[in-house]
Amino acid sequence: MTWKIAPEPYDCPAAAALWRAYYTEVSDRWYLLHEGRRTDPDELEREVAAGTGAELAPPAGQLLIARYDGEPAGSAGVRLLDADTAELTRVFVYEGMRGRGGAALLVAAAEEAARALGARQLILDTRSDLVEARALYARLGYAETGPHNDDRYAEHWFRKDLSDPGTVN
């Protein structure tokens, strides 16, 4: 059983399915934690439709799809924010595929994609309840920083220097 990670169009069927699964999971986790309910189906449809992923299209972005034995299993995206900085976003692996190393491979591929776009640093944000994501980023050498955006759901911000692939912050 093997992982293959490659760029794919942000609007391909695999990307659409992964985005829906990602958004459903993170939204449901937030609503269950804060309001004791799952995401309203109408809100889910609006948010999925609004989040097309167009910012992950070349030349200033890249969407990566991870396939496990040929089947879509995860995704990660990068987009340039300025000449030196890219943002890591939409890191997701289907629940049934977790624990097989796919997330770390996706982040490593996203780091390479960001370097190819000219970025010297990669930033991201996440939430407190996404403990698995925070642990992954820390394990992969991302340093927690102060806020770099005002996203209402962001509670933790991370940064990694990409100028030397062997360095850890």
Side-chain angles (χ1 to χ4, degrees):
M1 308 264 184
T2 59
W3 289 99
K4 272 193 136 164
I5 299 171
E8 294 196 29
Y10 72 89
D11 56 355
C12 72
L18 285 157
W19 168 237
R20 176 175 290 281
Y22 166 86
Y23 187 80
T24 300
E25 181 174 335
V26 298
S27 182
D28 279 354
R29 283 176 74 160
W30 191 89
Y31 278 114
L32 285 167
L33 179 65
H34 295 281
E35 298 183 14
R37 64 172 179 89
R38 295 195 178 281
T39 308
D40 175 86
D42 290 336
E43 177 189 358
L44 178 66
E45 292 309 315
R46 281 191 309 276
E47 293 301 319
V48 167
T52 66
E55 70 279 6
L56 304 178
Q62 186 73 73
L63 177 68
L64 301 163
I65 301 287
R67 293 177 181 272
Y68 191 80
D69 281 347
E71 293 299 316
S75 64
V78 293
R79 66 183 181 118
L80 280 177
L81 299 177
D82 61 42
D84 294 325
T85 306
E87 180 183 33
L88 178 63
T89 185
R90 294 192 188 197
V91 178
F92 177 75
V93 174
Y94 283 129
E95 186 175 4
M97 302 304 293
R98 294 176 188 161
R100 301 177 191 194
L105 292 171
L106 270 164
V107 172
E111 290 171 3
E112 286 305 312
R115 282 186 193 95
L117 292 170
R120 296 188 320 176
Q121 68 176 340
L122 196 54
I123 63 172
L124 64 96
D125 65 66
T126 191
R127 298 188 327 232
S128 293
D129 63 307
L130 301 176
V131 293
E132 307 91 341
R134 291 183 10 245
L136 172 71
Y137 301 133
R139 189 176 84 241
L140 297 178
Y142 287 77
E144 194 154 358
T145 66
H148 59 255
N149 65 25
D150 59 0
D151 183 313
R152 88 177 251 217
Y153 298 109
E155 297 170 313
H156 296 270
W157 296 264
F158 290 86
R159 178 190 173 281
K160 186 172 185 179
D161 181 357
L162 299 177
S163 60
D164 178 359
T167 62
V168 173
N169 289 353

